[in-house]
Amino acid sequence: MPAPEHDNRRQKAILWTRKGVNRQGQVTLNDPVEIMVRWKWVKREVLDKQGNTVAIDAEVVTVETVPIGSVMWLGELNDLPGTAEVPEEDTMQVISAPPTPDIKGRFIQRTLMLMRIKDTMPEL
């Protein structure tokens, strides 16, 4: 029987991991990859690293290590619109990604806090 961290992930999401920052100080992203997640739409507020209140639009459970600042979208690679492979709406930026180990410390699950991107998506 698979670990619960792996068993409950039945949805596919696209992940653009954060690569770094360009000369203008903007986040740059890697090419998209498809991962298995458990995606839950929520409306709540949490504190970010600087202590600012941030509105959270989705919580995503995954076993992947996801850097803060990465971008996610609920769907498959085949669902990406157009040739630019950038969704026009519902793209989310990772605000928080705390790890949660199981009781024996063998498996790690992460509950990502996502905030909707209101402007344009960072460059690839």
Side-chain angles (χ1 to χ4, degrees):
M1 187 162 119
E5 294 82 7
H6 297 273
D7 193 36
N8 294 328
R9 301 173 302 124
R10 302 192 188 279
Q11 296 167 293
K12 292 183 180 178
I14 306 302
L15 171 66
W16 291 267
T17 55
R18 180 183 171 156
K19 185 188 319 182
V21 179
N22 64 13
R23 292 181 185 181
Q24 290 79 28
Q26 298 172 337
V27 173
T28 57
L29 304 172
N30 289 313
D31 291 333
V33 294
E34 190 174 280
I35 61 172
M36 296 300 292
V37 300
R38 185 174 71 224
W39 190 288
K40 184 169 98 174
W41 295 101
V42 298
K43 291 286 182 195
R44 61 182 211 154
E45 295 179 346
V46 297
L47 296 176
D48 64 2
K49 282 185 172 183
Q50 292 78 25
N52 302 321
T53 303
V54 178
I56 298 299
D57 297 305
E59 288 181 1
V60 174
V61 176
T62 184
V63 295
E64 309 290 332
T65 301
V66 179
I68 293 175
S70 298
V71 175
M72 293 186 77
W73 183 68
L74 181 62
E76 300 180 20
L77 282 172
N78 294 335
D79 297 336
L80 286 173
T83 57
E85 295 186 347
V86 176
E88 296 174 6
E89 58 184 26
D90 291 333
T91 53
M92 306 278 181
Q93 188 166 28
V94 178
I95 300 301
S96 173
T100 306
D102 70 349
I103 197 139
K104 293 184 178 180
R106 295 177 296 176
F107 301 104
I108 293 179
Q109 167 180 298
R110 289 168 180 80
T111 303
L112 310 176
M113 304 293 170
L114 305 180
M115 178 179 70
R116 190 177 313 273
I117 297 176
K118 296 191 177 21
D119 297 331
T120 59
M121 193 168 132
E123 67 181 57
L124 297 176

